[in-house]
Amino acid sequence: MSTAPWDKSSWQKFPALQQPRWPDAESYQQAVGSLAELPPLVFAGEIRTLKEQLAEAVEGRAFVQHVGDCAEDFSRCTGAHIRELLKVVLQMSVILAYGGEKRVIKIGRIAGQYAKPRSSDSELVDGREIPSYRGDMINSPEPTLAARTPDARRLLEGYFRAAATLNLARAFTRGGYAALDRVEAWHRQSLATLPAGQKYEQLAKQIRKTIKFMTAIGLATDSPLLNQVTMYTSHEALLLGYEEALTRQDSITSDWYDCSAHMLWIGDRTRQLDGAHIEFLRGVRNPLGLKVGPKHDLDDILRIIDRLNPENEPGRLTLITRFGAEKVNQFLPSLARAMRREGRKVVWSCDPMHGNTYQSEFGHKTRNFDDILTEIRNFFAIHRAEGTVPGGVHLELTGENVTECTGGSRQLLDQHLQQNYQTNCDPRLNAEQSVELAFELAEMLNPR
Ligand code: PEP
Ligand code: CO
């Protein structure tokens, strides 16, 4: 199959899991038809730059910070929400770069993370079966049949909201907000009383001092390197009709790029070797992520990698492992060893969220900060023992002070989660827990 010709619709001949059942075929065709006419969201040249940077992470010269909401919510496509997320992204990246002494590649689960795989197609509400919520690009979370019926017009709405989000993110990161001398402006009052807040103030002071010193000795501090950052976009490539519609041929190289985001990843539930997702993604040149959970088969993973990256190009593929704090010790060593033995060049990224979900005694889906930290520590230790490179982290977090994950220095407990539990999907670290985690990560990157 792998040598068969590829085109952007060849996936349609393969079984595609996790696709919504659009009740109105005509409205679906209209939506994807319109999307195919609309401008790309990102440019192939940017995608190539990201891939080159990811190749540095394969070698351990850069570190990937891949973070954002589990699922973006249409109603939170607001200036305030995007700004708060960006603040935490900038704070974390400066902590990692300074403490870890590495270039940090910033990728957001942002500007298109609107579709979710679900373990069940439907759920029972008051004795009635209704479709599961699959993300705002498909249906709406309220538990009624009307809200849960897939509506293809949402595909277009997702595109326009992704464009608006990306526009503001580009403005913030290019227009001066991300300048390093504003490192204090990203700080938040609520952090001040926490140990991580005090550490951050120290760090901000040191950076300000360094910039003053550079100015004093006549080094230019107006360089774009100090005043601008790049945040790349990514989402799970789940809805193949949407991805196909935004796939375009680059006029410079004639290669095909999925211009809905810079990076796309394949979920743990849709990575079948002969499935439609692998078929579609093998043909686009974007950097790809592949989620790998406990239910994998080593030979199968090797075959998938061959299909997605037959030339073993560094930067093309990131393996995002999500085993859980304990199971990581059982599954990661053999996976790392196999890749090393077979000479596969991949970025190793740790998703310490999806293997650590549990139900609190009060019914909230949650994750504990210490489990998240333990999985990351084990990930670093295993890669160092196996001679492979811990290249990044993949986290679900938000810039707002939600109460969705337990633990952290405020010691949130199960009974506190109801205070500000906002997510429609998976529980996210809040801004404080995220900054705290970044300091721990910086130490793991640069152990003294
Ligand atoms: C996710 O990243 O939100 C997700 C669904 O992950 P996975 O495919 O690893 O379960
Ligand atoms: Co999730």
Side-chain angles (χ1 to χ4, degrees):
M1 273 317 218
S2 58
T3 49
W6 177 93
D7 67 59
K8 65 192 168 89
S9 59
S10 55
W11 65 270
Q12 294 184 15
K13 299 197 271 310
F14 294 75
L17 299 189
Q18 298 284 345
Q19 304 304 293
R21 295 200 192 102
W22 303 105
D24 180 349
E26 200 180 318
S27 127
Y28 174 73
Q29 287 307 331
Q30 260 173 14
V32 290
S34 304
L35 285 169
E37 304 279 313
L38 283 160
L41 291 174
V42 301
F43 162 60
E46 299 173 315
I47 300 177
R48 282 191 286 273
T49 307
L50 172 60
K51 210 199 278 178
E52 282 160 23
Q53 293 187 3
L54 288 168
E56 297 286 299
V58 173
E59 303 297 333
R61 288 190 292 268
F63 191 75
V64 182
Q65 174 187 313
H66 192 175
V67 307
D69 289 309
C70 176
E72 289 174 279
D73 186 328
F74 281 179
S75 70
R76 294 213 184 84
C77 176
T78 64
H81 178 78
I82 298 164
R83 185 191 61 230
E84 292 309 300
L85 180 67
L86 214 80
K87 268 190 193 166
V88 80
V89 164
L90 293 170
Q91 278 189 295
M92 291 178 80
S93 69
V94 89
I95 294 166
L96 290 182
Y98 195 89
E101 297 170 6
K102 264 191 214 312
R103 177 171 191 165
V104 177
I105 304 167
K106 292 164 281 297
I107 309 175
R109 290 173 63 114
I110 196 171
Q113 174 55 13
Y114 291 126
K116 299 303 299 173
R118 301 315 300 244
S119 42
S120 172
D121 271 347
S122 61
E123 64 181 290
L124 273 183
V125 175
D126 299 332
R128 193 159 176 222
E129 193 172 356
I130 59 170
S132 300
Y133 171 59
R134 288 188 169 272
D136 275 8
M137 204 144 76
I138 295 146
N139 55 9
S140 180
E142 299 80 61
T144 66
L145 181 61
R148 294 286 180 83
T149 302
D151 180 351
R153 288 171 302 186
R154 287 177 165 269
L155 291 166
L156 277 166
E157 184 166 355
Y159 167 88
F160 286 114
R161 287 186 189 266
T165 305
L166 183 55
N167 179 57
L168 189 62
R170 287 196 199 272
F172 273 140
T173 50
R174 300 271 137 177
Y177 190 74
L180 209 47
D181 61 3
R182 300 198 44 147
V183 65
E184 274 144 335
W186 312 330
H187 196 35
R188 54 197 83 232
Q189 210 54 48
S190 63
L191 258 175
T193 55
L194 299 179
Q198 285 144 21
K199 277 197 218 166
Y200 188 78
E201 271 165 33
Q202 278 299 321
L203 177 77
K205 249 188 226 148
Q206 279 161 1
I207 291 175
R208 207 165 4 106
K209 205 158 180 267
T210 310
I211 294 175
K212 279 196 184 141
F213 171 69
M214 286 167 70
T215 316
I217 62 170
L219 278 177
T221 53
D222 55 0
S223 135
L225 268 180
L226 292 179
N227 295 302
Q228 299 183 351
V229 302
T230 301
M231 181 173 64
Y232 295 98
T233 61
S234 74
H235 58 258
E236 177 170 350
L238 187 74
L239 289 187
L240 293 173
Y242 178 82
E243 303 304 335
E244 176 188 333
L246 286 163
T247 295
R248 311 291 160 87
Q249 192 167 24
D250 176 33
S251 58
I252 302 171
T253 59
S254 302
D255 289 330
W256 290 89
Y257 286 88
D258 182 346
C259 295
S260 69
H262 299 107
M263 180 184 188
L264 284 318
W265 77 85
I266 311 166
D268 201 32
R269 294 172 185 78
T270 49
R271 54 168 172 71
Q272 297 71 28
L273 184 61
D274 289 314
H277 292 82
I278 299 287
E279 171 59 20
F280 172 72
L281 287 160
R282 80 178 169 97
V284 296
R285 292 295 184 104
N286 305 58
L288 302 175
L290 181 70
K291 292 280 204 108
V292 186
K295 288 193 205 122
H296 70 276
D297 173 85
L298 268 183
D299 288 333
D300 190 36
I301 297 293
L302 277 165
R303 282 195 295 263
I304 295 171
I305 291 177
D306 286 345
R307 181 96 28 111
L308 294 175
N309 192 18
E311 279 152 33
N312 204 15
E313 178 194 7
R316 160 74 164 168
L317 198 64
T318 298
L319 289 190
I320 307 170
T321 58
R322 30 89 86 223
F323 294 127
E326 297 304 322
K327 286 189 185 159
V328 64
N329 294 318
Q330 186 186 338
F331 293 104
L332 186 55
S334 48
L335 184 65
R337 218 168 292 151
M339 294 306 139
R340 190 175 137 100
R341 186 184 62 230
E342 304 292 328
R344 296 299 193 281
K345 295 190 180 119
V346 298
V347 178
W348 290 100
S349 178
C350 176
D351 166 356
M353 313 301 293
H354 290 88
N356 289 313
T357 316
Y358 70 95
Q359 181 105 9
S360 83
E361 57 175 306
F362 303 93
H364 290 105
K365 198 174 175 190
T366 187
R367 295 154 172 163
N368 178 262
F369 186 85
D370 288 337
D371 291 340
I372 292 169
L373 201 55
T374 303
E375 179 158 358
I376 306 176
R377 281 195 208 293
N378 290 341
F379 167 89
F380 270 83
I382 291 164
H383 282 300
R384 288 189 171 138
E386 297 297 337
T388 38
V389 176
V393 285
H394 182 107
L395 306 169
E396 289 182 342
L397 56 78
T398 174
E400 274 135 48
N401 269 327
V402 299
T403 52
E404 298 173 5
C405 290
T406 56
S409 52
R410 276 196 206 275
Q411 299 177 336
L412 285 182
L413 301 173
D414 283 354
Q415 66 257 39
H416 299 134
L417 297 180
Q418 61 183 16
Q419 287 169 8
N420 194 16
Y421 194 94
Q422 298 273 340
T423 184
N424 289 322
C425 239
D426 287 341
R428 303 158 295 176
L429 294 167
N430 62 30
E432 296 173 1
Q433 291 167 326
S434 303
V435 170
E436 211 173 321
L437 189 69
F439 278 110
E440 299 283 348
L441 265 168
E443 268 179 40
M444 289 181 231
L445 274 172
N446 201 1
R448 310 236 169 237

